[in-house]
Amino acid sequence: MYVKKFEDLSKDDLGIAGGKGANLGELTQAGIPVPPGFVVTSKTYDKFMRDTGIFSKVMDILDQVDINNTKELQEAAEEIKAIIIETPIPDGISTYITEAYNQLSERVGEEDGADVAIRSSATAEDLPEASFAGQQDTFLHVQGLDNVIEYVRKCWASLFEARAIFYREENNFEHSQVYIAVVVQQMVDSDKAGVMFTVNPSTGENIALIEGSWGLGESVVSGSVTPDNYAVDKETNEVLNVTISDKKTMFTNEEGGTSIQVDVPEDLRKERVLSDEELLELVAMAKRVEGHYGKPQDTEWAFHDGNLFLLQSRPITTLGDSKKEEAEEEVDLEVLIRGLGASPGLASGTVKVILSLDELDKVQDGDVMVTTMTTPDMVPAMKRATGIVTDEGGVTCHAAIISRELGIPCVVGTGDATTTLKENDEVTADGKKGLVYKGIIKGAEEEVASAGAIQVSATPLITVTEVKANVSMAEAAPKAAATGADGVGLLRTEHMMLSTGVHPKKFILDGREDELVDTIAEGVLKVADEFYPKPVWYRTLDAPTDEFITLEGGENEPREHNPMLGWRGIRRELDQPEILKCEFKAIKK
């Protein structure tokens, strides 16, 4: 079968539908509400390549390419992709896609053609899907038959990105045995959307943790908005916690089929996103999905016109120990404020309320830093703090991510910590339960230290593949090295530069290039020393504009719709080679 609807697929169809298509089919067959769609199967791709005669052309190019010659490899990849994109799909094949798309358009009531997302998913027998990580293209808001056909071809062509060719050659996989399926799915113009963990990922408790905001789910996933936070007991359906955030921004569909970021209407900013009835509907969904897969899930959801859709579901890979949590003694202190536990542990100290960057110097070693929401500029102060408490944010916000990396307790999404907690008050933050207590808990400092420490068994775990660590801050290197990792697979540069508070370009313009080089070199040296003699892979600057715009000298950074996909990485450094040269000098030094 060249095209299969989701209803006709299951997890056993990985070979023809790829991981995405098979999973969406599995959810659909289980009766989970999934936006409708179909899969252009890997058999269609194979037939296209062979019936048009381009299969042998592509294989001939691959046979002759020297993958260790970067320029030659890139040219070969571009040539192959151009062949695929420019080769018309034979009528015998396009008819299947046309019929499936027309049926989908009719099903969703779109006379001009359904607005769809088109996603590629590589698959082949005996070839792990991981070999295509980062290679699978996705195209959103595609409408009209001609456009669908065009983007299906582009998905097929993405199988021959230079990086994918190199990977297969290096790992002795036959190019001729690699296939690709394409998912075509209705876009959901959601009224509200978000994420849901079917259990508490920090404690393993049977509590659904839900984050939601207005508009498309992109705002929650990207971290551009502080979502509402909810906790619901899955056994009793009791709503345990509701935190309403001031939701300032949202993503919505623009006329013509693109998503844009806009201000949330004033009357909705502090309006509760999810009602109790909707929460119970989500919890029922959580139980169904978790029961179907037999393990806790991390899901993305959306409501459209009152209807709930599941957009994605994947297993939660690491869970806390709920039994250990139950065994802990109850804390006999007054609870001052509640939020979402974002980084586990207890942190006792003196409150320092930070309302502007000018106040960061107030935070000294051992203080509890309280702020509306952290930014990259605050990282130096966060390193001094024993705990972090914020008004805004969810489990994927900046404060949560940095706190987990530093190994310090963090409570986010409290709503009003900056006004409820008073300067110089003594408090204890519980980063597991999401509570802030009045007073000091004896031994909390030791708990923070033990939470940050990682015990390594005397006999290291032997794995077939090397397992390397990610490191963003040099201060985290000792903890990362203590895991027994086989080196550093990704040493990020951004926080080394952010910690200075000055844009790297300003260093250079002010004649302080040596100072910038020394800052980078010192950070790299700290990490390399901790891991020596294991390898450390250094990634050149990948600076998102929304973070660097806040630095001194960063006022000329462009304001982008989505900085995650904007002017960053090597694209930025080819435009600003003087920064890249400073990094090379630091590495050489």
Side-chain angles (χ1 to χ4, degrees):
M1 178 64 74
Y2 298 116
V3 174
K4 298 197 76 170
K5 297 178 182 177
F6 290 167
E7 293 88 337
D8 301 322
L9 293 166
S10 72
K11 61 184 178 182
D12 297 326
D13 291 311
L14 185 67
I16 64 169
K20 294 184 182 73
N23 187 48
L24 289 168
E26 181 73 17
L27 292 169
T28 301
Q29 289 227 24
I32 306 295
V34 171
F38 60 91
V39 175
V40 181
T41 69
S42 58
K43 291 183 178 180
T44 313
Y45 160 78
D46 186 48
K47 183 175 177 62
F48 165 76
M49 294 291 288
R50 296 182 186 278
D51 285 4
T52 58
I54 64 174
F55 176 82
S56 57
K57 292 181 183 178
V58 170
M59 293 301 121
D60 287 344
I61 295 171
L62 293 172
D63 287 342
Q64 297 172 27
V65 69
D66 177 5
I67 63 167
N68 293 307
N69 184 320
T70 303
K71 182 179 180 182
E72 184 179 325
L73 175 60
Q74 190 65 47
E75 289 176 350
E78 293 303 319
E79 182 181 359
I80 292 172
K81 289 190 294 180
I83 290 173
I84 294 174
I85 292 171
E86 293 169 7
T87 299
I89 299 179
D91 292 342
I93 297 175
S94 63
T95 298
Y96 291 107
I97 302 174
T98 299
E99 290 178 352
Y101 180 68
N102 288 340
Q103 289 175 13
L104 176 61
S105 300
E106 183 178 352
R107 177 177 177 179
V108 301
E110 293 285 350
E111 294 182 0
D112 296 330
D115 181 18
V116 296
I118 298 181
R119 299 181 171 94
S120 56
S121 182
T123 179
E125 292 184 13
D126 303 320
L127 186 65
E129 188 176 4
S131 41
F132 296 94
Q135 306 302 326
Q136 302 170 16
D137 281 348
T138 292
F139 304 99
L140 303 179
H141 295 294
V142 178
Q143 191 168 21
L145 180 59
D146 291 341
N147 290 328
V148 169
I149 296 291
E150 176 187 350
Y151 284 102
V152 166
R153 270 201 305 261
K154 287 185 176 181
C155 284
W156 288 341
S158 71
L159 193 60
F160 295 98
E161 295 287 353
R163 191 164 44 175
I165 296 171
F166 183 88
Y167 181 93
R168 292 194 292 269
E169 289 277 357
E170 282 289 283
N171 292 278
N172 297 315
F173 292 128
E174 290 288 338
H175 294 293
S176 60
Q177 297 302 308
V178 180
Y179 304 92
I180 191 166
V182 180
V183 173
V184 181
Q185 184 180 27
Q186 180 193 18
M187 288 290 300
V188 176
D189 187 10
S190 55
D191 311 309
K192 56 187 75 172
V195 299
M196 172 174 62
F197 291 103
T198 65
V199 301
N200 187 320
S202 295
T203 67
E205 293 174 287
N206 197 26
I207 294 173
L209 295 184
I210 302 166
E211 294 184 343
S213 192
W214 304 114
L216 303 176
E218 184 178 352
S219 60
V220 178
V221 176
S222 68
S224 60
V225 70
T226 299
D228 287 358
N229 296 294
Y230 310 87
V232 183
D233 188 317
K234 296 218 315 279
E235 294 180 1
T236 65
N237 285 342
E238 178 186 359
V239 179
L240 303 175
N241 182 61
V242 176
T243 302
I244 308 303
S245 300
D246 183 3
K247 300 164 286 293
K248 302 179 180 67
T249 187
M250 63 187 286
F251 284 87
T252 185
N253 281 346
E254 189 180 30
E255 193 73 30
T258 58
S259 62
I260 57 171
Q261 189 172 4
V262 298
D263 291 337
V264 173
E266 192 65 32
D267 61 331
L268 291 179
R269 281 181 50 166
K270 296 183 180 180
E271 184 76 15
R272 177 173 169 173
V273 173
L274 293 168
S275 66
D276 282 356
E277 292 73 18
E278 288 170 328
L279 287 174
L280 294 182
E281 191 173 352
L282 278 163
V283 169
M285 171 84 78
K287 294 176 183 178
R288 290 176 64 188
V289 175
E290 188 175 274
H292 182 76
Y293 283 103
K295 59 183 67 175
Q297 298 288 301
D298 170 7
T299 68
E300 295 178 20
W301 54 267
F303 276 100
H304 175 61
D305 287 342
N307 297 312
L308 174 61
F309 294 95
L310 192 69
L311 306 179
Q312 182 166 302
S313 183
R314 52 182 173 255
I316 301 175
T317 54
T318 56
L319 291 170
D321 187 349
S322 60
K323 293 182 179 179
K324 178 181 177 182
E325 177 74 13
E326 291 169 2
E328 293 177 354
E329 294 183 9
E330 289 295 321
V331 176
D332 188 21
L333 290 176
E334 177 187 351
V335 176
L336 297 176
I337 201 163
R338 298 174 183 270
L340 181 65
S343 180
L346 292 174
S348 289
T350 302
V351 168
K352 297 297 179 184
V353 179
I354 305 301
L355 299 178
S356 71
L357 297 178
D358 296 337
E359 300 178 308
L360 289 176
D361 289 341
K362 292 196 305 183
V363 181
Q364 301 300 313
D365 291 344
D367 289 337
V368 174
M369 179 175 164
V370 180
T371 187
T372 304
M373 171 46 61
T374 63
T375 68
D377 307 273
M378 297 182 177
V379 171
M382 295 174 71
K383 293 176 182 177
R384 298 193 296 270
T386 188
I388 308 292
V389 181
T390 71
D391 290 344
E392 301 178 357
V395 294
T396 59
C397 72
H398 178 268
I401 294 169
I402 298 301
S403 296
R404 287 195 289 267
E405 179 144 1
L406 292 174
I408 59 176
C410 178
V411 178
V412 300
T414 61
D416 56 359
T418 53
T419 54
T420 300
L421 304 179
K422 304 304 180 185
E423 189 81 2
N424 296 320
D425 280 354
E426 291 186 333
V427 300
T428 297
D430 187 334
K432 182 174 286 187
K433 296 180 180 177
L435 304 175
V436 179
Y437 302 102
K438 181 178 182 179
I440 300 292
I441 294 180
K442 187 177 181 181
E445 294 83 358
E446 288 77 5
E447 177 159 337
V448 172
S450 63
I454 297 177
Q455 302 297 323
V456 182
S457 60
T459 304
L461 180 66
I462 304 300
T463 57
V464 176
T465 57
E466 291 185 338
V467 180
K468 294 185 173 69
N470 280 5
V471 178
S472 295
M473 292 170 285
E475 291 79 3
K479 185 175 69 172
T483 64
D486 297 312
V488 177
L490 174 61
L491 172 57
R492 297 185 175 98
T493 321
E494 295 74 61
H495 285 291
M496 296 181 196
M497 295 190 184
L498 288 168
S499 64
T500 67
V502 179
H503 196 288
K505 189 71 179 289
K506 183 170 175 58
F507 275 108
I508 297 168
L509 293 175
D510 290 350
R512 300 161 58 197
E513 179 181 311
D514 290 345
E515 189 177 337
L516 175 61
V517 171
D518 287 344
T519 298
I520 301 170
E522 289 169 8
V524 173
L525 184 60
K526 288 179 183 178
V527 178
D529 278 348
E530 290 292 341
F531 279 88
Y532 182 82
K534 297 174 181 178
V536 173
W537 285 86
Y538 172 91
R539 182 181 73 184
T540 55
L541 182 65
D542 183 29
T545 53
D546 60 331
E547 293 185 5
F548 272 50
I549 201 171
T550 62
L551 298 176
E552 180 184 347
E555 58 274 1
N556 292 324
E557 289 284 302
R559 297 185 180 274
E560 298 180 304
H561 164 59
N562 187 352
M564 296 296 289
L565 299 174
W567 187 53
R568 56 188 300 174
I570 194 64
R571 177 182 174 191
R572 169 197 280 267
E573 295 205 302
L574 288 175
D575 291 337
Q576 297 180 326
E578 60 275 14
I579 298 177
L580 184 61
K581 289 177 181 178
C582 286
E583 293 183 79
F584 290 160
K585 289 179 181 179
I587 297 297
K588 183 177 181 180
K589 183 175 184 178

